[in-house]
């Protein structure tokens, strides 16, 4: 690798001294142990960095960015580091410039505007904090229990067009943001598309925003630039459409910050909030997938209002979640979601200490041993349905749709049917959805508890076409033999599924994943659906082009989506071009 301004020893020392002067010595981390929890992904991905920098204000973040860009460094923006595809950490060491990782969690402001109908969120604002602050107003953010429980950031959801369980709200989306970018000449610029008049210079804009120094008169409400996806409810109702309801590479939901995947440096986003919803939960089980197809199509088209949520659980996922997600369930059930971010952070630190002693996965094995001794935690009726039915569907509907839902299910499931349903008590409904959430991390715990038996996890999130009736996956026999367990669960009404494959020891997970992609292509599915490409998936050409338009110098988060990591998007490896795996380089005009 050729020397650049940041690769010589003198330039490195100069840059580190400059960063320490901006944010303070304690907030510039350089040692392997000090940086571990920032440069190692929540589920996958890790790599070395020159430094992790933790600014404490928007102005500090701007100054850190100025220094990193001037030193010709790669910049990786990171908030809570809760992503599942390695998109907010380095991935290996094959970069042509030094990497500065800017973690924004110290900048945690949430500003409520428009009488609570909207919020402005700063880079470190978490979904959990936003949910808590809106509760007093009887309103909610785009996403509730799920990502919020592990401390995920609001801006991270926007960057990744994250989905969620709430059917009416669709992917996280806004056209109102304040961000910095590096243009094709390498010049850093601040772009204020927040719709709030804050001044002219970066220093004035960032200082006033951090202080909340603006009034309603400074705020523009332009319907041409929405702060949420206004069309998703209509979109998801179209059950005969031959395309998915939502997926990360959908061009209609890529706009500046939205879907940017770290290709910009975000300082704030402005978002809509939503009236708080409770409703009634119906628990449905069947051994015939067609029953669930009929339910999905009717609930999306035949009720007075769209359902609030609809979550699918396969029996195997139910079982793995019951056993290996038990501690997550119990922690939230007894202590609430507020403890989750701190619990995950503490576990990460303990894992780091133990790994230095060669004790990989010791924390998970200990927690698993403890939870096995605890009594059953799921409601009895859920256990009865698990024994009787392979496919489970949890549906939450608002009060105006409860009678119609009861009447439809009673007509669908008559005596002798392959399925049945019950109307949950509030406690049963809460625990059913909490169990669904706990399943999401259960495969990771299983891997830690059975390291000698399994190679790894192949984790996919896919979007099926809205008119697809054949949603149950059929794998070739030779692939089934290489898999210990298949976990299927997901947002059924949106036709978005999470598919975790626990692969036997000795099987190549990457080869398995590539075979899975080929099968999904034959089904005309889109993937990833809501966790974004990170360093696991190949970005489709349209998505790669979007990244390039945002970041023509390839300064921010290079390499995601299997794109080139080189400055100015130069082709890598001395090849004519470097395009995402599985796609051909387009013809030149």
């Amino acid at each position: 690798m050729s020397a650049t301004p940041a690769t010589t020893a003198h330039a490195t020392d100069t840059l580190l001294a400059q960063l320490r002067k901006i944010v303070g010595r304690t907030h510039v981390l350089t040692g392997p142990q000090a940086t571990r929890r920032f440069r190692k992904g929540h589920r996958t991905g890790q790599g070395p960095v020159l430094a992790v920098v933790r600014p404490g204000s928007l102005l500090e973040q701007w100054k850190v960015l100025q220094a990193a860009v001037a030193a010709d460094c790669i910049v990786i923006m990171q908030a809570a580091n809760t992503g599942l595809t390695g998109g907010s950490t380095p991935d290996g060491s094959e970069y042509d410039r030094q990497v500065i990782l800017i973690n924004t969690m110290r900048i945690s402001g949430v500003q409520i505007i428009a009488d609570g109908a909207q919020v402005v969120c700063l880079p470190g604002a978490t979904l959990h904090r936003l949910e808590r602050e809106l509760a007093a107003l009887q309103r909610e953010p785009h996403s509730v229990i799920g990502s919020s429980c592990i401390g995920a950031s609001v801006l991270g959801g926007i960057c990744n067009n994250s989905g969620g369980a709430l059917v009416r709200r669709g992917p996280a989306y806004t056209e109102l943001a304040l961000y910095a970018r590096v243009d094709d000449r390498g010049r850093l610029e601040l772009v204020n598309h927040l719709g709030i008049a804050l001044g002219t210079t970066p220093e004035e804009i960032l200082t006033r925003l951090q202080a909340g120094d603006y009034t309603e008169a400074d705020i523009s409400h332009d319907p041409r630039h929405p702060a949420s996806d206004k069309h998703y409810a209509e979109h998801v109702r179209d059950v005969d459409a031959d395309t998915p309801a939502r997926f990360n590479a959908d061009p209609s939901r890529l706009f500046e910050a939205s879907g940017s995947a770290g290709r910009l440096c975000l300082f704030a986003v402005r978002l809509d909030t939503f009236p708080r919803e409770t409703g009634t939960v119906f628990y449905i089980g069947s051994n015939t997938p067609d029953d669930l197809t009929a339910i999905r199509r009717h609930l999306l088209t035949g009720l007075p209002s769209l359902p609030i949520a609809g979550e699918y659980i396969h029996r195997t996922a139910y079982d793995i979640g019951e056993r290996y997600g038990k501690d997550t369930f119990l922690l939230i059930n007894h202590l609430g979601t507020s403890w989750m971010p701190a619990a995950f952070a503490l576990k990460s630190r303990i894992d780091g200490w133990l790994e230095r002693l060669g004790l990989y996965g010791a924390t998970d094995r200990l927690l698993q041993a403890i939870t096995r001794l605890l009594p059953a935690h799921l409601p009895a009726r859920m256990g009865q349905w698990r024994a009787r039915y392979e496919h489970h569907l949890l549906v939450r509907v608002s009060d105006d749709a409860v009678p119609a839902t009861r009447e439809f299910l009673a007509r669908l499931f008559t005596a002798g049917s392959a399925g049945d349903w019950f109307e949950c008590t509030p406690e049963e409904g809460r625990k059913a959805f909490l169990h669904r959430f706990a399943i999401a991390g259960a495969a990771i715990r299983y891997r830690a508890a059975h390291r000698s038996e399994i190679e790894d996890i192949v984790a996919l999130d896919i979007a099926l076409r809205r008119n697809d009736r054949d949603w149950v996956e059929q794998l070739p026999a030779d692939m089934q033999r290489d898999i210990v367990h298949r976990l299927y669960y997901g947002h059924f009404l949106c036709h978005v599924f999470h598919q975790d494959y626990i692969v036997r020891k000795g099987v190549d997970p990457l080869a398995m994943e590539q075979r899975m992609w080929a099968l999904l292509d034959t089904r005309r599915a889109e993937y990833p659906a809501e966790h974004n490409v990170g360093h696991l998936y190949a970005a489709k050409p349209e998505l790669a082009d979007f990244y390039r338009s945002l970041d023509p110098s390839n300064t921010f988060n290079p390499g995601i989506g299997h794109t080139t990591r080189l400055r100015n998007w130069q082709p890598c490896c001395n090849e004519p071009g470097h395009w995402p795996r599985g796609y051909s380089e387009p013809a030149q005009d």
Side-chain angles (χ1 to χ4, degrees), residues 111-114 116-120 176 219 221 227 270-273:
Q111 300 171 0
I112 296 175
I113 62 174
Q118 290 188 333
V119 290
V120 174
L176 303 171
I219 303 173
H221 296 277
R270 180 174 152 194
L271 302 168
D272 288 332
T273 69

Side-chain angles (χ1 to χ4, degrees), residues 14 159 223 233 265 270 273 302 333 364 436 441 449 461 466 474 512 514 535 545 563:
T14 300
C159 285
C265 175
R270 180 174 152 194
T273 69
N333 188 53
D364 288 285
R436 158 61 186 88
D461 62 295
R466 284 168 283 174
Q474 303 296 327
M512 174 69 74
Q514 290 173 331
H535 287 285
D545 287 345
T563 57

Side-chain angles (χ1 to χ4, degrees), residues 11 17-18 31 61 75 80 109 122 179 243 302 359 382 391 401 432 515 566 568 589:
Q18 187 177 3
Q61 181 175 318
V75 176
L122 303 190
Y179 61 87
T243 56
L359 300 175
M382 284 177 59
H391 306 285
R515 290 191 65 185
L566 301 184
N568 298 323
D589 291 336

Side-chain angles (χ1 to χ4, degrees), residues 237 239 291-307 401 403-409 411-412 493:
R237 280 188 186 273
V239 296
D291 285 343
L292 270 60
T293 298
I295 293 169
R296 172 181 171 270
R297 293 177 66 86
H298 178 80
L299 294 184
L300 289 176
T301 60
L303 294 184
S305 60
L306 272 176
T405 304
R406 287 191 193 118
E407 189 274 334
F408 171 73
L409 293 176
R411 281 192 289 110
L412 181 66
L493 300 185

Side-chain angles (χ1 to χ4, degrees), residues 227-246:
S228 63
D229 187 341
K230 302 294 188 182
H231 305 292
Y232 186 74
E234 177 184 355
H235 191 70
V236 75
R237 280 188 186 273
D238 189 358
V239 296
D240 292 315
D242 199 35
T243 56
R246 55 181 171 92

Side-chain angles (χ1 to χ4, degrees), residues 378-437:
L378 297 179
R381 282 202 289 185
M382 284 177 59
Q384 295 167 7
W385 254 240
R386 179 264 162 224
R388 292 165 57 183
Y389 304 115
E390 179 180 3
H391 306 285
H392 297 235
L393 181 61
L394 327 176
V395 177
R396 178 180 281 118
V397 299
S398 50
D399 293 342
D400 66 331
V402 170
T405 304
R406 287 191 193 118
E407 189 274 334
F408 171 73
L409 293 176
R411 281 192 289 110
L412 181 66
F413 295 115
T414 57
S417 296
D420 204 351
W421 61 282
F422 64 88
E423 188 171 330
C424 294
T425 65
E427 180 77 353
E428 287 175 326
R430 184 180 64 82
K431 289 187 173 181
F433 273 87
L434 180 51
H435 179 53
R436 158 61 186 88
F437 166 70

